[in-house]
Short mmCIF file of all heavy atoms in Angstrom, two decimals:
data_model
loop_
_atom_site.label_atom_id
_atom_site.label_comp_id
_atom_site.label_asym_id
_atom_site.label_seq_id
_atom_site.Cartn_x
_atom_site.Cartn_y
_atom_site.Cartn_z
N LEU A 124 53.66 40.12 11.39
CA LEU A 124 54.84 40.83 11.17
C LEU A 124 55.78 40.00 10.36
O LEU A 124 55.87 38.76 10.48
CB LEU A 124 55.57 41.21 12.47
CG LEU A 124 54.66 42.12 13.52
CD1 LEU A 124 55.46 42.31 14.66
CD2 LEU A 124 54.13 43.31 12.81
N CYS A 125 56.65 40.66 9.55
CA CYS A 125 57.59 40.00 8.75
C CYS A 125 58.69 39.27 9.57
O CYS A 125 59.15 39.75 10.61
CB CYS A 125 58.30 41.00 7.86
SG CYS A 125 59.69 40.32 6.86
N GLY A 126 58.89 38.00 9.22
CA GLY A 126 59.89 37.16 9.91
C GLY A 126 61.36 37.65 9.74
O GLY A 126 62.23 37.37 10.43
N GLY A 127 61.48 38.54 8.65
CA GLY A 127 62.93 38.97 8.34
C GLY A 127 63.09 40.29 9.11
O GLY A 127 63.98 40.48 9.96
N CYS A 128 62.23 41.34 8.79
CA CYS A 128 62.52 42.70 9.17
C CYS A 128 61.55 43.18 10.32
O CYS A 128 61.87 44.26 10.91
CB CYS A 128 62.50 43.71 8.00
SG CYS A 128 60.91 44.09 7.43
N GLY A 129 60.61 42.48 10.60
CA GLY A 129 59.63 42.87 11.69
C GLY A 129 58.66 43.76 11.35
O GLY A 129 57.72 44.16 12.22
N LYS A 130 58.48 44.27 10.22
CA LYS A 130 57.56 45.33 9.88
C LYS A 130 56.10 44.49 9.37
O LYS A 130 56.25 43.32 9.21
CB LYS A 130 58.04 46.22 8.61
CG LYS A 130 59.11 46.96 8.93
CD LYS A 130 58.83 48.12 9.99
CE LYS A 130 59.74 49.25 10.11
NZ LYS A 130 61.24 48.80 10.41
N ASP A 131 55.09 45.11 9.12
CA ASP A 131 53.83 44.65 8.83
C ASP A 131 53.83 43.80 7.53
O ASP A 131 54.37 44.33 6.51
CB ASP A 131 52.69 45.72 8.73
CG ASP A 131 52.38 46.33 9.95
OD1 ASP A 131 52.79 45.85 10.93
OD2 ASP A 131 51.60 47.33 9.98
N LEU A 132 53.24 42.75 7.53
CA LEU A 132 52.93 42.03 6.26
C LEU A 132 51.60 42.56 5.60
O LEU A 132 50.83 43.13 6.25
CB LEU A 132 52.65 40.50 6.59
CG LEU A 132 53.90 39.68 7.01
CD1 LEU A 132 53.33 38.17 7.25
CD2 LEU A 132 55.11 39.80 6.10
N LYS A 164 53.28 39.37 1.39
CA LYS A 164 54.41 40.05 1.07
C LYS A 164 54.69 41.10 2.32
O LYS A 164 53.73 41.86 2.69
CB LYS A 164 54.26 40.83 -0.22
CG LYS A 164 55.60 41.08 -0.87
CD LYS A 164 55.43 41.56 -2.32
CE LYS A 164 56.65 41.72 -3.08
NZ LYS A 164 56.61 42.01 -4.47
N CYS A 165 55.92 41.34 2.58
CA CYS A 165 56.29 42.30 3.67
C CYS A 165 56.17 43.79 2.98
O CYS A 165 56.55 43.93 1.84
CB CYS A 165 57.69 42.15 4.25
SG CYS A 165 58.32 43.42 5.23
N THR A 166 55.50 44.64 3.71
CA THR A 166 55.18 45.96 3.06
C THR A 166 56.53 46.72 3.07
O THR A 166 56.59 47.75 2.41
CB THR A 166 54.10 46.71 3.97
OG1 THR A 166 54.52 46.77 5.31
CG2 THR A 166 52.76 46.06 3.84
N ALA A 167 57.56 46.33 3.99
CA ALA A 167 58.70 47.11 3.95
C ALA A 167 59.92 46.41 3.10
O ALA A 167 60.35 47.08 2.14
CB ALA A 167 59.31 47.21 5.37
N CYS A 168 60.13 45.22 3.37
CA CYS A 168 61.36 44.56 2.65
C CYS A 168 60.92 43.77 1.44
O CYS A 168 61.86 43.37 0.60
CB CYS A 168 62.23 43.86 3.65
SG CYS A 168 61.52 42.27 3.98
N GLY A 169 59.60 43.46 1.31
CA GLY A 169 59.16 42.72 0.06
C GLY A 169 59.31 41.26 0.20
O GLY A 169 58.94 40.52 -0.71
N LYS A 170 59.85 40.71 1.26
CA LYS A 170 59.98 39.21 1.44
C LYS A 170 58.62 38.59 1.45
O LYS A 170 57.73 39.02 2.20
CB LYS A 170 60.78 38.89 2.68
CG LYS A 170 61.11 37.43 2.89
CD LYS A 170 61.92 37.38 4.26
CE LYS A 170 61.80 35.99 4.80
NZ LYS A 170 62.77 34.98 4.04
N GLU A 171 58.53 37.48 0.66
CA GLU A 171 57.19 36.70 0.68
C GLU A 171 57.41 35.62 1.64
O GLU A 171 58.43 34.96 1.81
CB GLU A 171 56.93 36.10 -0.72
CG GLU A 171 56.64 37.25 -1.77
CD GLU A 171 56.09 36.60 -3.06
OE1 GLU A 171 57.07 35.91 -3.68
OE2 GLU A 171 55.03 36.68 -3.51
N GLN A 172 56.17 35.35 2.39
CA GLN A 172 56.25 34.38 3.44
C GLN A 172 54.81 33.90 3.90
O GLN A 172 53.84 34.66 3.54
CB GLN A 172 56.93 34.96 4.68
CG GLN A 172 56.27 36.22 5.22
CD GLN A 172 57.38 37.19 5.84
OE1 GLN A 172 57.77 36.88 7.08
NE2 GLN A 172 57.75 38.24 5.23
ZN1 ZN B 2 60.25 42.56 5.88
#
Side-chain angles (χ1 to χ4, degrees):
L124 305 179
C125 175
C128 75
K130 297 291 197 308
D131 288 353
L132 292 182
K164 204 165 184 172
C165 172
T166 55
C168 76
K170 183 181 163 72
E171 289 186 299
Q172 55 209 283

